[in-house]
Every structure is written in C-alpha cells, then in structure tokens.
Amino acid sequence: MSSRHSRLLAGLFAIAAASASAGAALAQEVVLGASVQLTGPVANTGRYYRDAYQLAIDKINAAGGVKIAGQSHKLALKLYDNQSDVNLSVRQYTQLVSQDKVNLLLGPFASNFALADSAVSEKYKVPMVQGGGASDQIFARKFKYIFGTLAPASNYFGSTVGMLKSLKPAPQSVALLYADDAFDVSVAEGTRPMLKQAGLNVVMDERYSTNATDFNSLLSQIKSKNADVVLVAGHETEILNFVRQAKSLAVAPKLYSFTVGVPSEDFRKALGKDAEYAFGMTAWLPTTALKDRWFGDAEKFAKEYKAKFGYDPDYHAASGAADVETLVQAMEDAGSADPQKVRDALAKVKFESLYGPIAFNAQGQIELPQMVIQVQGGAVAEIYGAKGFVKQPKYPMPAWDAR
Amino acid sequence: MDLLAQILVNGTLQGGLYAVMALGLALVWGVLNIVNLAHGAFIMLGGYASWYLYTYAHIDPFLGLPLTAAVMFGLGYGLQRGLLNLVIRAPMFNTLLITFGLEVVLTYLAQLVFSADFRTINPPYAGNSLAWGPVVLPLARLAAFGVAIVLTVGMWLFLLHTRLGRAIRATAQNLVAARLYGVEPRHLYAMTFGLGIALAGAAGTLYGTVSQINPYIGASLTAKSFAISIIGGLENPLGVIVGGLFLGIVESLTTLYIGQTFADVASFGILVLVLIVRPSGLLGKTT
C-alpha cells in the first residue's frame, strides 16, 4: 500500500517538475501551434500555410520577436501534419493545447478543417487565428475563440456578379455548380440571392461530390441549357478536370469563373494555355500598396517567399502570414501571451498588413472585398474591383477551336 | 434527346476507361486470389511514368503506352517474386494487409518524389473533339476507349489461345492439376501479377491523358476497380468491359436525372445488388 502511495507521489512530482520546466521555457519563447495538410490530397494548398507561417515567424524573430510588456520574446512554431484527415487534425489540436501547451493557435487549411478544429480552441479557450477556412458556418456558432482572415465564402462571387451586370453583351443565364463541402455550400448559398437580385436566370443549380473526376454529364447539360455564365465553387483538382473536359466536349460558355485555381501557379502550369480566359477571384495581390510592419509591403513579401520556397505565394499564403502577424499584434496590444487576454485583444485588433487591413467583425471574421481576376497571356490580370473595371476582361470567351 | 445521346456517349467512353482500370485488378484477383488494394497506386505510378515520358522525352502518351506497360510489368514481376509470394498461400486477410501496406508506401513515396502538385498529360490534341451530328466525341477519350477495347479483347484472346494464357487459367482453376502438367506456379504467378500491373500502368497513362494525376488518386481508383470487377465478374475479361460500361452509363444517367452527388451511391448500390442477386458477376456462371 505504502509503496503504491510513494509511486503515486513520485509521479506527481515528475508531472509538477515537467510542467514547471515547460513554464520556464515559455517565458522565453511564445509557441504557436498548428496542424496543417502536409501530405494527402490537399497538401499542395496546405504547404502555403506551412511556408507562410515559417516565413512570417522567421521574419518577426529577425526583427526581435514579439514585445510583450517591454520584454522581447522569440516565436516558435509547433507544426503537425494532419495528412488531410479532419479527425486527425482535431486530435492534433487537442494535443497541441492539452499536452504541448502551446500558447496560441494558428489554423489549418480549408473550411471543413477549421469548422472541426475551432471546436477544440473553443473548448480549451485558446484563441485560433486561421487563414484557411472561409465558410460562414465557422463563424455562425457564436464561438469566441475563432478568428478568420479569409474573405467570407458567401461573398466569393460578389464582385463577379457585380461585374456581370456591366458586361457587354450582357449575359442572361447562369449555371451554378458547387462541391458538397462546408466552404462550397456556403459559396452557393451566398451566390444564389445575388444572382436573383442581378436579374439573371439560373438555368442550373447543381451540387457535386467532392473529388469528383467526371464532369462530362454536367458539362453536357451546361451546353444543352446554353448557359452564358458558369460559376463553379470547388477544389483545384475538380476545376482542372472541369476545364479539360470542357475543352474536350467543346463547351465554351461566354464566361466561366472558379473559386480556386486561377490565382495559383501550379494550376496555370498544369493547364498550360487552356487556362486562358478563366475567371477567378482573389482578396489579395502582391502590390506595394499593402504596407507591412515586418515585410515592408506585399510585393516584398511575395519576393522573399518566392526566393525561399521557389514558387509564387497566392492569397492563402498571404492570409497565413497575416495570421501570425495578427497574433503578434494582439499579444503586443494585450501586453500578454495569456490566451484570454489575447482573445480580447484580437476582438479589437486593427492594423495594416501585407494581406490588407486586419480587423474582425462580431463573429470573428474579416471583411475583405474580392477582386475579379482572369488568366490573360499566362498571367493573372486584375479585372474588376470595388471601383469598377481595372483592366478590360477578355469576354466573351472564344470557342475552343477558335483560339 | 440530343442531351440524352450525349450523356450516353459520355457514359460509354467513361466506361471504357473504367474497364481498363479494372482489368488488371480482376486478373490478379481471379488467378492469384489476391485483392490488390495497391492497384490504384499502380495506376497512379503508370500515370507518372507516362507524364515523364511525355514531358521530358516528348513521347506521345499513346505511343509510350507499351513502354510504360513494360516498365510496370517489370515492377509487378519483381514485387510478386520478392514480396507477395511470401503470402500467396496465407489467409486472404494477410494479402489484404500487405497490399494495403504497399498502397500506403507507394502513395507517400510518390508524394516525396513527385510532390503533391497535380500533373496532366496534355498533348495538343487532348482537347480536340469530333462532331457526330449533335453529339461531341472527345478525341482523347475516344482513343482511350479504343485502347481499352483492344486491351480487353487482347487479354481475352491471350487467356483463351496462348500457352501461357492457358497455364494461367489452369492454375486459377486447379493448382494441383496444373502443377502435375508441369506448370511452375512461382513464375506463373509473377507473370500474372506483372501483367496485372502492366494493365494498371496502361490505365494510368489513359487516365492522365483525360484527367489529372496526383499521389492520392489511388484509393478511389481501387474502389472503383473493385466495384467494376465484382459487377462484371472475375470469370473473363469481357465481364470487366460489361461492368465498366454499365457503371459508366449508370453514373452518367444518375448525374443527369438525380444529381452528381448520387453517382457514387448508384454505383456502389449496384455493387451491393449484384452481390445479392448474381454473386459471380453479370457475366459470371449462374450457380
């Protein structure tokens, strides 16, 4: 009996000692935890977050780190690979807060992940700033510890629909296709009323399963219903198949626009010149107009990113880097790394970043307008923004055999 | 009416691709009694092989197809002799485990070597199409369909009329009797597995030409090939063609009339129905 007691005591001492040493380590370093898709089907977007987090942390550390109440602390990143598996990512976030005792959380990529993982941050009351989930569902649950820096999914096609009204010849009919996950369903729900308000005739409104590879039937229907405009909310692999199969079935609407792909370099590379004329949107372009405390401006950020990782950043990367900056800004505002105090500072945070002005609404989501972009001559051209046309769109899209 | 015709054409062409994907799986399953869960991963590898041939050596995917198949045959032969022969007489569960492990290893090796970026084999004619009245026939898919038919019928003739084909069938039917007639099973098993993997490689080439390749396409392709093999039956390669076409057309019609999200429900629903009503496949023996 007594030996069992002494073993129990020894165990308690060991735990106490371990947590004390962890506490001591935290005094010097602020650890940010994240679980990101480094392998698995969405790894090619997940890498934006790994690279952006690391680049931003290195840059901030090089500038002296985060200054909390007059003292400088270095940042550290604790990153897990969730293998593109939502359940694993929830377990990893639980481990990050309960065992690794990280100070604050950065997000995963994709809405369905953020939706599940935000339950962990809420339960353990550790704030998570995530730049990978745009679905309005994430923010509709009155959670207090989740903040998002991607423009709301419901408004992804907002600027595109705005542009449709001023195109000549004016498009009449629209086909709306969307994948069956949290993000794309939110996009569709937000787009429907906008199309109605714009007086456009929605001839197709179809949901398809995530990771679908065969779009031939949907494309044949688009052709047979003669849709002028095709709006697709989906994932890059699906959009890739969609465009290739559109070409092989000679389906060329006046305009098509996609929620993903168009801003990404590997998408344009995989499609080659078939990527031409595709519309998309981005809330971010690497311009000098976006000033940043650490990087100088967005253009410099993009250059450093490309030099370090060998590929161009898109809005995912900028959003991820902004998440790190947002946490740093909030810690400095709060004068503390205490999760509760940082959470309160996040709710009030307001600063200029390489990604744009950062501030959150009552639900914790950023409000950013989307710019309409189009692939023109192998590069992304900015077409239409809040102030109207920036550059003339190539519209209507020519038939495939007339290119 | 035009739309229905187009949808049926789409389904048929998709079905041809399905058939060539499932052909290798059905062969290995029927003869070696191994359900190769890594089959989709081999399709993926075949796709990459052709992608490299096309991108760096500028060999047209359809011309490079025999080369890809030959490389994959060597890989399959070696894997069977070195690895799978160890479990050939073991309970089915062990073969499932080892091929599942192979699937995982191949997928993650592919990510390490090829990265998670997606690739497309995109020769200039890949997007071209022929018009047949109001119906559009995509050229690459049509060619893939042609290759699928040639491979399947070739496979069927090979099993029926060649010495090696007969030996393979004999081994599948009765191992002891086959050995008494001088069939060397180790070599024969490796030949069969090599053939199965070569077919997977060919399927990967066709898949990369009409769709896209990334390291993770394997698992879903295995599932589809599995369903087609069950629906068509393992008895002969023509069953696989029937299973593939059937599935392709059903999925297209489901998308048209019910909705794309129900396409998988339809195909796996049919799988269950076939298992209940005709357990040895649509073309299988009635027992």
Side-chain angles (χ1 to χ4, degrees):
Chain A
M1 222 28 199
S2 72
S3 80
R4 195 191 286 176
H5 267 272
S6 62
R7 240 184 288 162
L8 187 68
L9 266 179
L12 283 175
F13 270 120
I15 292 168
S19 54
S21 70
L26 294 184
Q28 285 115 36
E29 263 187 354
V30 175
V31 184
L32 308 181
S35 153
V36 171
Q37 296 86 334
L38 302 183
T39 56
V42 280
N44 66 326
T45 312
R47 67 175 174 186
Y48 283 118
Y49 292 89
R50 174 196 61 199
D51 294 345
Y53 291 160
Q54 196 59 59
L55 183 66
I57 286 175
D58 290 349
K59 191 82 183 173
I60 292 168
N61 280 343
V66 51
K67 288 166 198 69
I68 300 172
Q71 221 192 336
S72 284
H73 298 259
K74 293 274 190 237
L75 295 174
L77 180 64
K78 179 86 187 166
L79 194 74
Y80 286 114
D81 172 19
N82 62 31
Q83 301 170 15
S84 302
D85 175 352
V86 176
N87 298 318
L88 181 57
S89 118
V90 169
R91 288 204 296 280
Q92 289 174 335
Y93 273 107
T94 309
Q95 183 176 350
L96 281 167
V97 289
S98 62
Q99 286 170 34
D100 302 336
K101 307 272 183 206
V102 300
N103 299 77
L104 302 163
L105 293 174
L106 291 162
F109 165 60
S111 291
N112 48 336
F113 285 76
L115 198 59
D117 297 336
S118 54
V120 178
S121 60
E122 192 69 15
K123 183 178 167 203
Y124 288 91
K125 300 196 187 308
V126 176
M128 174 193 285
V129 178
Q130 59 90 10
S135 172
D136 302 60
Q137 269 178 276
I138 301 167
F139 306 97
R141 297 169 298 174
K142 300 201 164 63
F143 278 14
K144 284 207 175 86
Y145 291 84
I146 182 77
F147 296 89
T149 54
L150 277 189
S154 55
N155 196 33
Y156 258 56
F157 279 122
S159 53
T160 308
V161 175
M163 179 185 76
L164 292 181
K165 291 185 244 177
S166 25
L167 285 175
K168 295 210 171 48
Q172 305 296 325
S173 51
V174 178
L176 177 65
L177 307 183
Y178 58 102
D180 59 351
D181 63 294
F183 169 75
D184 296 300
V185 169
S186 282
V187 172
E189 279 167 0
T191 308
R192 259 178 226 124
M194 292 192 281
L195 292 173
K196 204 172 164 195
Q197 215 183 357
L200 289 154
N201 180 20
V202 179
V203 290
M204 257 178 97
D205 186 339
E206 289 281 337
R207 180 196 289 237
Y208 66 82
S209 44
T210 300
N211 293 330
T213 53
D214 180 11
F215 289 95
N216 288 300
S217 289
L218 289 173
L219 281 161
S220 302
Q221 291 179 62
I222 288 172
K223 193 177 187 182
S224 126
K225 290 183 174 152
N226 220 349
D228 290 339
V229 172
V230 178
L231 305 178
V232 188
H235 309 86
E236 287 196 26
T237 48
E238 296 149 16
I239 306 296
L240 202 63
N241 279 322
F242 185 89
V243 174
R244 292 197 79 191
Q245 290 167 16
K247 183 180 180 191
S248 69
L249 284 171
V251 178
K254 287 198 176 88
L255 175 157
Y256 52 37
S257 178
F258 308 106
T259 50
V260 294
V262 175
S264 317
E265 189 186 341
D266 61 339
F267 175 84
R268 300 193 298 272
K269 233 188 230 166
L271 279 176
K273 64 179 182 5
D274 295 342
E276 286 295 299
Y277 305 104
F279 281 89
M281 71 287 298
T282 183
W284 179 80
L285 285 169
T287 62
T288 51
L290 297 169
K291 300 293 178 211
D292 189 85
R293 175 176 147 197
W294 289 278
F295 287 94
D297 59 50
E299 193 186 30
K300 288 194 186 114
F301 162 77
K303 272 192 191 134
E304 273 187 48
Y305 188 98
K306 169 111 190 188
K308 184 151 184 190
F309 304 113
Y311 64 95
D312 284 323
D314 74 350
Y315 68 87
H316 296 101
S319 171
D323 294 345
V324 177
E325 295 188 355
T326 305
L327 282 174
V328 168
Q329 186 70 40
M331 280 187 275
E332 297 190 348
D333 291 351
S336 166
D338 174 63
Q340 185 59 48
K341 287 181 183 148
V342 173
R343 187 259 150 220
D344 293 340
L346 280 170
K348 289 180 292 201
V349 84
K350 201 170 169 66
F351 71 104
E352 296 295 316
S353 78
L354 62 95
Y355 177 65
I358 306 279
F360 300 107
N361 62 18
Q363 287 78 41
Q365 198 167 17
I366 202 169
E367 276 161 14
L368 274 184
Q370 296 273 9
M371 282 167 270
V372 178
I373 53 176
Q374 187 182 27
V375 182
Q376 294 187 353
V380 169
E382 189 182 345
I383 301 294
Y384 185 89
K387 295 187 191 96
F389 283 105
V390 181
K391 195 174 177 191
Q392 273 311 303
K394 293 201 172 158
Y395 172 91
M397 182 163 83
W400 287 99
D401 53 11
R403 295 186 177 189
Chain B
M1 204 54 221
D2 289 353
L3 178 60
L4 185 62
Q6 179 70 53
I7 297 284
L8 288 175
V9 165
N10 294 347
T12 309
L13 295 181
Q14 183 74 10
L17 189 65
Y18 280 168
V20 76
M21 275 169 20
L23 203 53
L25 182 89
L27 177 73
V28 169
W29 190 354
V31 177
L32 276 68
N33 201 24
I34 290 177
V35 181
N36 181 12
L37 295 182
H39 187 73
F42 288 111
I43 296 179
M44 176 266 295
L45 288 183
Y48 275 108
S50 291
W51 184 85
Y52 276 99
L53 281 179
Y54 176 69
T55 310
Y56 293 109
H58 307 292
I59 298 175
D60 182 88
F62 286 97
L63 295 177
L65 197 130
L67 194 57
T68 301
V71 171
M72 296 299 287
F73 176 84
L75 179 69
Y77 190 93
L79 270 175
Q80 163 66 26
R81 283 305 278 262
L83 184 70
L84 293 175
N85 245 346
L86 302 174
V87 294
I88 194 79
R89 303 252 186 288
M92 192 164 200
F93 187 64
N94 291 12
T95 65
L96 285 178
L97 268 182
I98 205 161
T99 55
F100 178 70
L102 205 56
E103 206 277 322
V104 175
V105 169
L106 289 176
T107 301
Y108 285 92
L109 276 181
Q111 181 182 333
L112 270 181
V113 178
F114 308 126
S115 88
D117 285 356
F118 31 70
R119 314 280 167 84
T120 58
I121 304 170
N122 207 355
Y125 60 82
N128 294 0
S129 51
L130 305 171
W132 181 38
V135 176
V136 175
L137 295 167
L139 202 61
R141 272 178 191 264
L142 200 61
F145 182 79
V147 171
I149 299 292
V150 167
L151 283 178
T152 315
V153 173
M155 197 67 220
W156 185 54
L157 295 174
F158 164 77
L159 288 177
L160 274 186
H161 296 296
T162 65
R163 199 181 154 75
L164 182 63
R166 288 200 191 117
I168 288 176
R169 283 195 302 140
T171 315
Q173 284 161 9
N174 191 331
L175 178 64
V176 176
R179 291 190 78 161
L180 286 175
Y181 280 89
V183 172
E184 216 277 279
R186 264 189 311 179
H187 172 67
L188 192 95
Y189 282 157
M191 287 299 285
T192 311
F193 195 75
L195 270 178
I197 303 309
L199 288 168
T205 307
L206 303 179
Y207 190 78
T209 312
V210 301
S211 185
Q212 50 88 23
I213 320 154
N214 66 55
Y216 313 103
I217 55 174
S220 61
L221 295 182
T222 304
K224 209 103 287 158
S225 305
F226 181 82
I228 295 159
S229 305
I230 298 264
I231 292 170
L234 303 172
E235 294 282 317
N236 87 49
L238 298 186
V240 176
I241 275 267
V242 171
L245 291 180
F246 187 64
L247 208 62
I249 291 172
V250 166
E251 287 186 357
S252 294
L253 290 176
T254 311
T255 305
L256 176 62
Y257 291 115
I258 306 175
Q260 201 280 335
T261 37
F262 293 93
D264 275 350
V265 178
S267 51
F268 289 100
I270 286 168
L271 169 67
V272 172
L273 270 184
V274 167
L275 280 175
I276 295 169
V277 182
R278 290 187 68 94
S280 51
L282 290 179
L283 287 199
K285 283 187 296 230
T286 29
T287 43

